[in-house]
């Protein structure tokens, strides 16, 4: 079994307020050129218009294409990896996982591409994978804001992947 703490090649540590978090980089995962507008995702019904994916109604004749988040879920190819560990985490796990889920729900309500893909337990630690790097970062920030602890980011610029470690 892989060690979730090991940092794969291609990642380097970045600061919590790194500029990449301000950029609105469009997730180009599996994108084949520019999408016509409006486009609707047949799996989640998100609509691409005005240059981004939103929730809303699409006309019946809208172009159809799978959105990057549904593509990532289908391929089991996350953009964000968040590991949660430590003694405080172990003893407050239910409460902390509740916060994680709540944060996802409020982000996803606004941003269709920000979703949790899976929550896996590996040797007493929890790995949360996400369809978008901003969600992994946002959950890390929310945990740090609520409980402090140690928060670290490693970024892979070539593939726009983010690993977040929160330990407490
Ligand atoms: Zn979709």
């Amino acid at each position: 079994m892989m060690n979730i703490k090991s940092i794969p090649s291609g990642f380097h540590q970045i600061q919590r307020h790194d500029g990449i978090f301000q950029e609105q980089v469009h997730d180009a995962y599996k994108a084949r050129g520019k999408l016509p507008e409006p486009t609707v995702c047949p799996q989640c019904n998100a609509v691409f218009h005005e240059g981004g994916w939103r929730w809303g109604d699409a006309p019946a004749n809208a172009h159809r294409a799978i959105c990057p988040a549904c593509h990532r879920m289908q391929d089991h190819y996350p953009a964000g990896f968040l590991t949660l560990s430590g003694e405080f985490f172990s003893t407050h796990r239910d409460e902390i996982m509740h916060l994680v889920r709540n944060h996802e729900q409020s982000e996803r309500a606004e941003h269709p591409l920000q979703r949790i893909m899976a929550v896996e337990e590996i040797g007493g630690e929890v790995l949360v994978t996400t369809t978008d790097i901003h969600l992994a970062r946002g959950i890390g920030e929310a945990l740090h804001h609520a409980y402090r602890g140690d928060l670290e980011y490693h970024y892979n610029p070539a593939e726009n992947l983010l690993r977040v470690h929160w330990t407490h």
Side-chain angles (χ1 to χ4, degrees):
M1 190 163 281
M2 81 170 187
N3 176 359
I4 61 175
K5 272 193 179 147
S6 63
I7 305 300
S9 63
F11 286 82
H12 64 266
Q13 187 160 10
I14 59 170
Q15 297 310 306
R16 283 177 48 205
H17 301 290
D18 194 281
I20 66 148
F21 298 125
Q22 270 67 58
E23 287 171 34
Q24 273 308 328
V25 180
H26 280 302
D27 189 357
Y29 184 64
K30 294 253 167 118
R32 280 181 233 115
K34 202 168 148 40
L35 285 171
E37 298 193 17
T39 288
V40 62
C41 173
Q43 292 191 7
C44 69
N45 293 318
V47 179
F48 184 84
H49 75 112
E50 291 169 9
W53 288 92
R54 298 152 219 280
W55 298 119
D57 295 320
N61 64 351
H63 181 76
R64 293 162 76 80
I66 294 177
C67 75
C70 288
H71 252 313
R72 286 184 182 277
M73 296 188 83
Q74 224 169 45
D75 296 351
H76 306 288
Y77 191 77
F81 302 79
L82 171 73
T83 61
L84 310 174
S85 62
E87 209 170 310
F88 179 88
F89 172 63
S90 302
T91 52
H92 297 79
R93 185 171 156 163
D94 289 351
E95 176 192 335
I96 291 166
M97 292 313 294
H98 189 72
L99 190 153
V100 168
R101 290 285 183 192
N102 271 351
H103 188 89
E104 185 227 14
Q105 277 165 25
S106 65
E107 288 301 309
R108 191 173 55 174
E110 292 282 312
H111 309 286
L113 302 190
Q114 299 202 16
R115 302 177 206 167
I116 287 177
M117 288 176 61
V119 176
E120 295 168 61
E121 176 154 356
I122 303 174
E125 303 185 354
V126 168
L127 171 65
V128 179
T129 50
T130 65
T131 54
D132 185 286
I133 67 168
H134 294 90
L135 180 59
R137 185 232 183 185
I139 294 171
E141 288 292 333
L143 293 175
H144 189 259
H145 182 76
Y147 306 109
R148 301 286 138 198
D150 294 318
L151 189 59
E152 261 184 30
Y153 295 118
H154 290 85
Y155 182 58
N156 177 332
E159 295 179 73
N160 194 34
L161 305 177
L162 183 71
R163 305 187 82 92
V164 181
H165 295 286
W166 182 71
T167 309
H168 192 350

